[in-house]
């Protein structure tokens, strides 16, 4: 998508044998609003920590603006 403000591609994160994220992809354009929902243990907090810079992904890329 051209004009993406946020682009996440192929982001993965493991904690030991536990796979928290596996190949996450998301694009958000200017003016869009998204909600991240899911069951406990689905990786929502891990993804937010990667977006904030508190954690680094094991694989993949995060591009902002």
């Amino acid at each position: 998508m051209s004009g993406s403000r946020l682009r996440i591609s192929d982001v993965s994160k493991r904690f030991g044998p536990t796979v928290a994220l596996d190949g996450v992809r998301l694009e958000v354009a200017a003016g869009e609003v998204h909600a991240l929902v899911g069951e406990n243990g689905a990786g929502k907090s891990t993804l937010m920590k990667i977006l904030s810079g508190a954690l680094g992904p094991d694989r993949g890329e995060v591009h902002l603006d």
Side-chain angles (χ1 to χ4, degrees):
M1 168 190 300
S2 63
S4 295
R5 296 296 305 262
L6 171 66
R7 188 173 67 248
I8 301 168
S9 56
D10 197 33
V11 167
S12 296
K13 182 68 177 177
R14 295 180 73 104
F15 296 99
T18 303
V19 177
L21 301 172
D22 187 20
V24 174
R25 181 187 173 282
L26 174 69
E27 291 192 36
V28 180
E32 290 183 338
V33 177
H34 292 256
L36 188 60
V37 297
E39 296 181 15
N40 289 343
K44 302 176 301 290
S45 295
T46 301
L47 182 59
M48 292 300 102
K49 287 176 184 176
I50 288 172
L51 288 176
S52 72
L55 287 176
D58 294 336
R59 183 182 78 218
E61 297 180 345
V62 177
H63 298 274
L64 181 59
D65 207 29

